[in-house]
Amino acid sequence: MDQQLQQAVDQVITSRHSVRAFLDKPIEQSMLKDILQVASRAPSGTNTQPWKVYVVQGRKRNVLIEKVCTAQSALFLSPELAKNYTETFPYYPEKWLSPFIERRRENGWGLYGLLNIQKGEKEKMAKQQLRNFKLFDAPVGLFFTVHKSLGVGSKMDISMMIQNVMLAAKARGLDTCPQAAWNHFHTIVLSELHASEDEELVCSMALGYADPDDIVNTFITPRVPVEDFAVFLE
């Protein structure tokens, strides 16, 4: 492999991270189409290509944000409403085990520490959580769905496609933040997108130009060394 190509690919992969503050800078639809076209080269079992993507901008973006932010704010005031906003599939486990719980806590408190949010400051936490549903001010929201009839493998397929979207965007100077938080409000989201009853929301994604001056974008999560997760057998 050409060394320059290898370095370019590695740089795109390693420089990608979840951005949580974006500039109010529009993105040409032609660039979005290019990103999705490249991303669609992701593999899928028997080439089913199970993904569907809703690209939300402008008025539709604003309406969707307003409706979901209203629901999230009401949920904060009345936690019993959570029963009305359940995911269609569990993204996280019911019970956290080590070492995953420690990594989760490190991630959460690392971010909150950077934002000067202390343990127990529920209103500050709620305000930061609401940023998810404002797409962190990104001008573009992507919503990924699969057909309900498909199996777990299709969620693996669309996940690879989603990764391609993030890398193709990064290669073009854009940044992203994949979000599972929106899944709780799938009924609102899918209704507003006029999706069919056969579709299931897998995740959303904020996409745009990162705000280089916002401290939140300096937060980079660590990765364990290869020796911690790989087993080499001969």
Side-chain angles (χ1 to χ4, degrees):
M1 176 182 284
D2 180 84
Q3 188 173 13
Q4 287 186 326
L5 176 59
Q6 175 189 322
Q7 291 175 343
V9 172
D10 288 355
Q11 173 62 22
V12 169
I13 294 173
T14 57
S15 63
R16 185 219 64 81
H17 70 282
S18 293
V19 163
R20 295 178 174 86
F22 291 87
L23 298 174
D24 183 18
K25 182 178 178 180
I27 301 170
E28 293 292 331
Q29 190 174 103
S30 59
M31 182 182 288
L32 296 172
K33 286 184 177 180
D34 286 345
I35 289 170
L36 293 173
Q37 187 64 59
V38 169
S40 72
R41 292 305 308 175
S44 62
T46 64
N47 198 35
T48 50
Q49 304 173 66
W51 41 78
K52 188 167 184 178
V53 188
Y54 292 86
V55 184
V56 180
Q57 299 170 277
R59 186 195 66 82
K60 177 60 72 174
R61 168 196 174 278
N62 297 339
V63 169
L64 187 55
I65 284 175
E66 181 180 1
K67 288 188 176 182
V68 175
C69 281
T70 298
Q72 173 62 24
S73 296
L75 185 58
F76 174 70
L77 295 174
S78 304
E80 67 275 9
L81 293 176
K83 65 181 183 296
N84 299 326
Y85 302 113
T86 57
E87 301 169 295
T88 57
F89 65 94
Y91 187 90
Y92 295 113
E94 290 185 14
K95 182 180 180 180
W96 287 92
L97 302 176
S98 183
F100 314 113
I101 184 60
E102 289 85 5
R103 294 172 186 168
R104 177 179 170 85
R105 287 169 177 163
E106 178 186 33
N107 180 73
W109 291 117
L111 177 61
Y112 282 169
L114 187 67
L115 299 173
N116 195 30
I117 300 175
Q118 306 302 318
K119 190 173 183 178
E121 294 185 314
K122 294 184 179 180
E123 289 191 5
K124 285 186 178 181
M125 292 180 185
K127 183 177 180 181
Q128 178 59 31
Q129 188 176 21
L130 202 60
R131 294 279 296 150
N132 283 281
F133 307 112
K134 295 180 179 179
L135 293 169
F136 302 110
D137 298 327
V140 178
L142 303 177
F143 295 86
F144 299 85
T145 71
V146 294
H147 198 281
K148 288 180 180 179
S149 69
L150 299 175
V152 174
S154 290
K155 289 186 174 64
M156 296 171 64
D157 295 341
I158 195 174
S159 296
M160 290 185 277
M161 189 268 192
I162 291 168
Q163 174 77 351
N164 276 1
V165 169
M166 292 188 284
L167 297 181
K170 188 65 180 176
R172 290 163 173 76
L174 298 168
D175 280 286
T176 54
C177 185
Q179 299 173 271
W182 288 75
N183 290 10
H184 289 282
F185 300 106
H186 62 94
T187 55
I188 298 174
V189 172
L190 296 178
S191 175
E192 190 61 35
L193 298 178
H194 303 295
S196 74
E197 293 183 358
D198 294 327
E199 291 178 61
E200 180 179 36
L201 182 65
V202 175
C203 82
S204 66
M205 182 187 298
L207 185 150
Y209 293 95
D211 183 347
D213 298 324
D214 196 306
I215 192 172
V216 75
N217 287 336
T218 65
F219 182 65
I220 309 294
T221 54
R223 293 294 187 271
V224 299
V226 171
E227 291 76 14
D228 283 13
F229 64 82
V231 179
F232 295 88
L233 304 173
E234 294 185 4

